[in-house]
Amino acid sequence: MKLALVGDIGGTNARFALWRDGQLESVRVLATADFATPEQAISHYLIDLGLAPGSIGAVCLAVAGPVGGEHFRFTNNHWRLSRSHFCQALQVQELLLVNDFTAMALGMTRVREHERLQICPGVAEPGSPAVVIGPGTGLGVGTLLSPAEGRWQALPGEGGHVDLPIGSPREAQLWQQLFNQLGHVRAEDVLSGNGLLQLYLAMCTVDGQVPSLSTPAQVSAAALSGDALAAQVLDQFCIWLGRVAGNNVLTLGARGGVYIVGGVVPRFASFFQASGFIRSFSSKGCMSGYFEGVPVWLVTAEYPGLEGAGVALEQHQ
């Protein structure tokens, strides 16, 4: 395969790399706000590497949202894309667009043992699906299926937009406050970077506290420094992540395990390991026993979305 380019484009950052002989090369991270279009960002990346137009044969971009058709509008940033214009502007022969969590799921096939922490013990059941879920700018959810005829499959979806589940009277109080603010409460409204702040503000209102923190980073930093209210917020974040992840396991029969990905949770990995995640993940009443032996890992790999875009491109050829 001719030299290819892979990208993993989020709301804030666009990650690009060359894909050669099944490996990433020359990874760069660019701010989406610095460029008007994805073509401009990729041109900048190629010029920085000294590559001339036409030197790239194919491009695979992992993007947030449903893919299909000539035009694509990015969910979490201002970019838009026309497939034909993109190929013409960058002189590439082929553009493959894949859902970002399709790429993330495929990236799990490349994660090495030292790039994941085991949160729940167990062994992946051969032939069973695995759930890939990750809070970031939004909440991504994907499904990894075992190879069929040597090819991995990943199911795209919009699982971050499911309704936020309620599992206790306390959560019902918090949900009511979130509903008062939002009207409709999705899992992503809590399980994302901005969602963490939203949850903090809701908990302050429910508990009659005056908010003193104004960013998600401040909330997590305060929690890790011993602030009691912030720690409750962060623990509730982990509990809700467990509920949503567990619901996906039941829906999909995902005894192949759960991969927690994204940029949020690895920042407080030790807190997460000791949080209420494990309890809420498997607390499903009469179906709680179903979770025995289902492994959960926290993925710490640096560029799994890029790796997955490379896998998608190779399997597409």
Side-chain angles (χ1 to χ4, degrees), residues 53-317:
S55 57
I56 300 296
V59 174
C60 179
L61 300 180
V63 295
V67 297
E70 166 67 14
H71 298 279
F72 180 82
R73 181 172 183 174
F74 290 78
T75 301
N76 294 322
N77 65 47
H78 61 284
W79 286 356
R80 299 188 182 193
L81 183 148
S82 158
R83 291 175 187 262
S84 56
H85 179 269
F86 180 96
C87 291
Q88 182 179 22
L90 295 174
Q91 298 181 35
V92 299
Q93 299 165 359
E94 183 177 18
L95 168 63
L96 176 64
L97 295 181
V98 296
N99 176 267
D100 57 343
F101 262 72
T102 294
M104 189 65 78
L106 291 173
M108 297 305 98
T109 68
R110 309 259 305 185
V111 170
R112 291 162 288 188
E113 200 61 37
H114 71 276
E115 294 177 320
R116 64 185 190 182
L117 302 173
Q118 190 147 53
I119 305 300
C120 297
V123 177
E125 187 175 281
S128 292
V131 171
V132 183
I133 183 168
T137 303
L139 176 65
V141 183
T143 306
L144 179 66
L145 303 179
S146 298
E149 300 179 354
R151 295 170 64 87
W152 290 93
Q153 289 183 287
L155 301 180
E158 295 299 324
H161 297 280
V162 301
D163 296 339
L164 184 70
I166 300 172
S168 70
R170 170 68 164 172
E171 289 175 11
Q173 286 183 304
L174 293 169
W175 180 92
Q176 184 64 62
Q177 179 57 34
L178 291 164
F179 178 81
N180 293 343
Q181 296 171 351
L182 304 172
H184 175 245
V185 188
R186 307 166 299 165
E188 181 173 281
D189 292 324
V190 166
L191 299 175
S192 59
N194 288 333
L196 179 61
L197 179 62
Q198 188 90 3
L199 178 57
Y200 166 75
L201 295 174
M203 193 171 289
C204 284
T205 299
V206 168
D207 293 345
Q209 301 285 331
V210 177
S212 61
L213 308 172
S214 57
T215 68
Q218 289 177 0
V219 175
S220 56
L224 298 180
S225 298
D227 181 276
L229 177 60
Q232 287 182 47
V233 172
L234 196 58
D235 190 56
Q236 184 60 57
F237 180 97
C238 298
I239 289 169
W240 253 319
L241 181 57
R243 294 207 192 287
V244 174
N247 286 351
N248 275 275
V249 169
L250 289 178
T251 300
L252 297 163
R255 295 190 56 82
V258 176
Y259 295 88
I260 308 294
V261 299
V264 173
V265 180
R267 296 173 186 168
F268 49 86
S270 296
F271 184 101
F272 183 69
Q273 287 177 299
S275 74
F277 172 88
I278 296 175
R279 172 177 48 82
S280 65
F281 172 67
S282 59
S283 181
K284 300 296 181 185
C286 65
M287 290 302 294
S288 297
Y290 185 84
F291 291 83
E292 185 174 349
V294 176
V296 178
W297 299 280
L298 174 60
V299 176
T300 59
E302 197 167 11
Y303 301 115
L306 285 176
E307 295 272 9
V311 173
L313 190 57
E314 288 200 339
Q315 294 194 158
H316 181 72
Q317 297 295 316

